[in-house]
Amino acid sequence: MARKSLVGVVADELLDRIIEGEFPPGSVVPGEHELSARHEVSRMTVREAMKTLQAQRILSVERGRGTFVNPLSRWASLEAVLRAASEGKNDADASIQLIELRRMLETGACELAAGRIAEEDITSLFNYIAAMKAAHGINDVAAFVEADLAFHDVILRASGNVFVSVLFEPLHRVLEKRRAETSAVPAIQEHAIGHHQNIAEALESRDAARSRQAMDAHMQQTLDDLKQLVLDAK
């Protein structure tokens, strides 16, 4: 892999400081002189790094006032938003919004998959449920999460819509982290196993409406569990 340019390094480090909350939305970031001294680079390098973040709408320039951090909702870089979701301080909002996104995409994918899924994929779904049960029995969270993610990947691929898989690919790192947090709660594992069983049986019946409803019920349970068993417990 090619080494990042100095411009990229400075842009990344400034983005890290924004994500960590050092510069919250609406705040002014340091000027070129301060940043060039901190990073030991030229002011031209800092200027180009700032332009990179401006192009991603992470920063905005107001002439005569300075360079400001935009709210996350205005950012135009999916990679930066995902970094904020996985590394940022506002975990509660990010977790809830991620489930909302999954609900929008995965219920539709499950509905499509009902009419397109292959028999071997149905077998895979039940195998992953068995793996989830085994992991739950020995409280192996990592194995549980691996089987959980694989189960959903089968459905996304079985939807037959290439855009669904492409949209989900960059989410995997965040999903893995969030699943590890929620799946550490045994009760949540039990709920997930039951809902995955319902989804697999609905897909096996090839009933599109039933499959969509089963996935939607799973997403609702996931949201309820997150709020009641994870966020309220912190």
Side-chain angles (χ1 to χ4, degrees), residues 11-214:
D12 268 359
E13 290 182 3
L14 182 53
L15 178 58
D16 283 339
R17 295 170 73 186
I18 292 170
I19 289 172
E20 289 167 4
E22 185 176 345
F23 305 117
S27 65
V28 181
V29 297
E32 290 177 8
H33 181 73
E34 181 179 337
L35 289 173
S36 64
R38 178 187 176 103
H39 296 283
E40 299 181 338
V41 296
S42 69
R43 293 179 67 176
M44 178 65 73
T45 298
V46 169
R47 191 173 302 131
E48 291 303 312
M50 300 278 271
K51 285 181 180 178
T52 297
L53 297 182
Q54 290 168 33
Q56 297 171 351
R57 299 215 294 268
I58 296 167
L59 299 178
S60 59
V61 177
E62 297 186 19
R63 294 196 178 279
R65 296 190 62 217
T67 302
F68 293 81
V69 178
N70 288 325
L72 188 63
S73 59
R74 289 182 56 191
W75 292 13
S77 165
L78 177 59
E79 181 182 354
V81 170
L82 291 176
R83 280 177 61 182
S86 61
E87 302 165 17
K89 303 300 182 184
N90 201 351
D91 279 350
D93 282 350
S95 295
I96 290 170
Q97 289 180 20
L98 186 60
I99 293 173
E100 290 172 345
L101 174 62
R102 289 183 57 207
R103 190 172 195 167
M104 287 186 281
L105 294 176
E106 291 200 57
T107 52
C110 199
E111 182 177 20
L112 288 174
R116 301 171 178 176
I117 193 164
E119 195 61 42
E120 56 265 30
D121 289 332
I122 295 292
T123 300
S124 293
L125 292 179
F126 285 108
N127 287 340
Y128 287 129
I129 293 170
M132 291 170 70
K133 290 177 179 177
H136 173 64
I138 59 174
N139 196 30
D140 187 338
V141 176
F144 187 92
V145 170
E146 183 179 0
D148 186 350
L149 290 172
F151 178 97
H152 286 270
D153 281 346
V154 169
I155 297 172
L156 294 174
R157 291 195 308 271
S159 73
N161 188 310
V162 66
F163 296 104
V164 171
S165 297
V166 169
L167 285 170
F168 261 88
E169 183 58 35
L171 295 176
H172 267 273
R173 182 179 61 171
V174 183
L175 285 173
E176 189 169 4
K177 179 187 176 185
R178 301 298 175 187
R179 292 286 223 295
E181 292 173 349
T182 56
S183 296
V185 181
I188 292 180
Q189 292 184 17
E190 292 175 7
H191 296 160
I193 289 169
H195 280 281
H196 282 70
Q197 184 75 30
N198 292 340
I199 292 166
E201 290 175 358
L203 287 168
E204 186 179 35
S205 74
R206 306 306 201 275
D207 185 323
R210 179 184 170 191
S211 298
R212 183 184 185 93
Q213 290 164 5

